[in-house]
Amino acid sequence: DVLGSRGLGDVYKRQIIKQMLSGRVVPMKISYKKLWVLLAEKEMSKAEFRDALELSTGTMTKLNKGEEVSLSTLLRICAYFKCNIGDICDAVTA
């Protein structure tokens, strides 16, 4: 099985794949462009940002690559900058 074991998550993945193939769902990804603009406005380097929020190198790598990070991480970033989640990221079409 391409999707691995058959848990509820896999059933959901199959449904999403079927919907994507039928054109009913547009694949989305996340963009952290707003976060990088915010850092530039605050004159804060990515290294300073990582240290201030005590982010792991793995999390920073995911942010740099535009990959998904946990909601708790995004909320920590929002709390640090006193902003809303939409101020640091966007859902964009893939």
Side-chain angles (χ1 to χ4, degrees):
D1 186 13
V2 173
L3 297 174
S5 66
R6 295 183 183 203
L8 280 178
D10 293 323
V11 171
Y12 176 74
K13 287 177 193 175
R14 278 196 223 7
Q15 290 173 344
I16 293 297
I17 290 168
K18 285 179 186 176
Q19 290 175 352
M20 287 171 56
L21 293 174
S22 72
R24 293 184 295 188
V25 172
V26 177
M28 303 291 287
K29 66 178 203 169
I30 191 149
S31 167
Y32 300 108
K33 190 177 203 177
K34 290 180 176 181
L35 174 60
W36 309 134
V37 170
L38 180 63
L39 289 182
E41 289 172 352
K42 302 274 186 190
E43 297 181 359
M44 182 180 223
S45 71
K46 287 184 178 182
E48 292 169 330
F49 167 70
R50 186 177 84 75
D51 290 343
L53 278 102
E54 299 179 355
L55 298 174
S56 70
T57 54
T59 297
M60 268 313 286
T61 298
K62 287 181 178 185
L63 289 168
N64 283 318
K65 290 182 175 184
E67 296 176 357
E68 296 174 13
V69 298
S70 70
L71 181 57
S72 61
T73 296
L74 296 176
L75 293 175
R76 278 181 38 218
I77 295 169
C78 290
Y80 181 82
F81 288 115
K82 296 179 178 71
C83 67
N84 289 314
I85 201 162
D87 297 327
I88 60 168
C89 62
D90 277 317
V92 296
T93 53

